[in-house]
Amino acid sequence: MNLFRYIHDKLLIVVLNLSGVLLLSFYLLTVGNTLLTIALIDLVWGSVFLLYFGIEYYKRRQYFDGITRQMTRLDKPYLIHEMMEKTWRYEDEVYKDILRKSTISAMEVIVLLEEEQGEYKEFIEAWIHEVKLPITSLYLMSAELKGDSARKLQAYLIDLENQVDQALFYARSDYVHQDYLIREAPVQEIISELVKKNKFLLIQNQMQITIDCEGMVHTDKKWLAFIINQLLFNAVKYKKEGSGQVSFKTISTKESTRLIIRDEGLGIVSHELPRVFDKGFTGTNGRDAGKATGFGLYLCKKLCTKLGLTIEANSTEDEYTEMILTFPKNSYLSDL
């Protein structure tokens, strides 16, 4: 609590007391009192006023400092009104009541928004599952076709399914804790399944895949597969003309396991590298290609954070891009 701000708030009281002293002094002087008597009275008045003012400031500062300390200790600071001490000041009780009513009103709005968001999430998930049915049917139909057109159709269907999965995982990204199971996951097996799943897309884009992954990591297999799949699609999307190459490699240390996904594609402009995980950021390559949404890497970053992983990007323009996933090792989990 700032003393000068406090004095500013009490400026009217200060002015009234000063005016009272001056008027009293003028009256006492006109009725024949000596200057010494008037000075003594003014001194007593001023001393009493300053003493009261100082005590009042000290008590108010202690009161508000106590509230501030309590807020820093609370897990839910918006409930501070329940922890505020009772005082003899009626205005403090009025403020507490206003805070209580305001908090209740805000909580009601939040509950309503959460219900609406939950309903929207349920609708999106139901819609996505409905959309997947015709996509699966188209897969089965395309399997009966032959030639380059069939391969293109299958590649487009893979891309469409990836976009649908992106929408599904984005809808679930704020509820990861309700839909994941941490256990040992074989990195090489996950990557091999993704390569097999996307074989038509990879063949269509003449992509060469190298996998050099060993060991297990502790994470949710489904969410990790989605993250790696997004990074694989990015490698295909931003490859150079002609054939492309993507390599997967794990490096294990005592503290962590790192999965390095490297492609020999267009790379990322150096000044754009710190922003690649920002929501909606497409970058120069994305704008030139006209097919970037700016949500893929943002969603990967968000899911990694939820799962306790880290993701970082290294790149040199026109040479390569590396996406590095780091899985921390937990001695307790490792012993399970």
Side-chain angles (χ1 to χ4, degrees), residues 65-77:
D65 286 351
I67 293 175
T68 303
R69 285 194 299 271
Q70 286 179 334
M71 282 192 66
T72 59
R73 300 191 191 106
L74 288 176
D75 293 333
K76 300 177 180 178

Side-chain angles (χ1 to χ4, degrees), residues 52-295:
Y52 168 79
F53 197 83
I55 293 173
E56 177 71 3
Y57 168 72
Y58 175 77
K59 288 183 176 180
R60 299 305 286 169
R61 189 181 67 179
Q62 290 290 101
Y63 177 70
F64 288 112
D65 286 351
I67 293 175
T68 303
R69 285 194 299 271
Q70 286 179 334
M71 282 192 66
T72 59
R73 300 191 191 106
L74 288 176
D75 293 333
K76 300 177 180 178
Y78 54 84
L79 296 177
I80 185 60
H81 62 272
E82 299 293 344
M83 306 297 295
M84 291 171 64
E85 298 179 1
K86 290 186 176 181
T87 67
W88 60 271
R89 288 178 173 273
Y90 175 70
E91 63 182 30
D92 289 346
E93 297 303 315
V94 173
Y95 293 148
K96 286 171 62 177
D97 189 56
I98 292 173
L99 280 174
R100 184 180 298 107
K101 291 178 179 177
S102 176
T103 302
I104 292 173
S105 177
M107 292 298 294
E108 290 174 350
V109 172
I110 291 171
V111 170
L112 180 61
L113 290 174
E114 287 180 344
E115 290 177 352
E116 292 177 351
Q117 186 180 26
E119 292 175 359
Y120 179 72
K121 172 180 171 288
E122 291 175 2
F123 168 76
I124 291 295
E125 289 185 0
W127 178 84
I128 289 172
H129 286 301
E130 291 295 326
V131 168
K132 282 194 171 187
L133 292 175
I135 293 177
T136 303
S137 299
L138 288 171
Y139 265 130
L140 296 175
M141 293 172 62
S142 66
E144 299 177 359
L145 302 176
K146 296 181 180 180
D148 189 55
S149 296
R151 287 191 293 271
K152 286 183 178 180
L153 176 59
Q154 290 165 342
Y156 288 140
L157 287 172
I158 292 173
D159 188 37
L160 177 59
E161 186 178 30
N162 178 66
Q163 297 297 326
V164 171
D165 283 339
Q166 192 177 94
L168 176 62
F169 278 82
Y170 183 73
R172 292 177 173 177
S173 61
D174 289 324
Y175 303 90
V176 176
H177 61 284
Q178 299 176 358
D179 188 38
Y180 78 99
L181 177 63
I182 299 296
R183 58 184 178 183
E184 280 193 333
V187 180
Q188 179 151 336
E189 181 181 316
I190 293 173
I191 296 171
S192 298
E193 289 176 359
L194 291 174
V195 170
K196 183 178 179 181
K197 175 184 175 183
N198 297 310
K199 63 180 180 180
F200 295 111
L201 180 69
L202 298 174
I203 293 172
Q204 185 72 27
N205 289 274
Q206 304 175 47
M207 299 297 294
Q208 299 178 10
I209 305 297
T210 303
I211 305 174
D212 181 18
C213 300
E214 296 180 355
M216 311 283 279
V217 295
H218 288 95
T219 187
D220 182 273
K221 183 178 179 181
K222 178 179 63 176
W223 292 85
L224 176 60
F226 171 78
I227 293 169
I228 296 175
N229 199 53
Q230 292 299 303
L231 300 178
L232 178 59
F233 263 77
N234 272 9
V236 174
K237 186 186 299 183
Y238 300 115
K239 74 181 188 69
K240 296 177 182 178
E241 289 293 331
S243 61
Q245 184 174 347
V246 182
S247 63
F248 298 86
K249 183 179 180 179
T250 55
I251 299 176
S252 183
T253 65
K254 185 178 180 180
E255 294 80 19
S256 64
T257 298
R258 303 172 74 205
L259 170 61
I260 303 173
I261 304 172
R262 179 188 176 103
D263 69 80
E264 312 296 330
L266 298 175
I268 302 171
V269 182
S270 59
H271 69 269
E272 294 179 350
L273 195 57
R275 300 178 58 196
V276 294
F277 297 108
D278 291 352
K279 185 177 181 180
F281 181 74
T282 57
T284 303
N285 292 331
R287 287 190 294 272
D288 292 344
K291 52 186 177 181
T293 62
F295 275 88

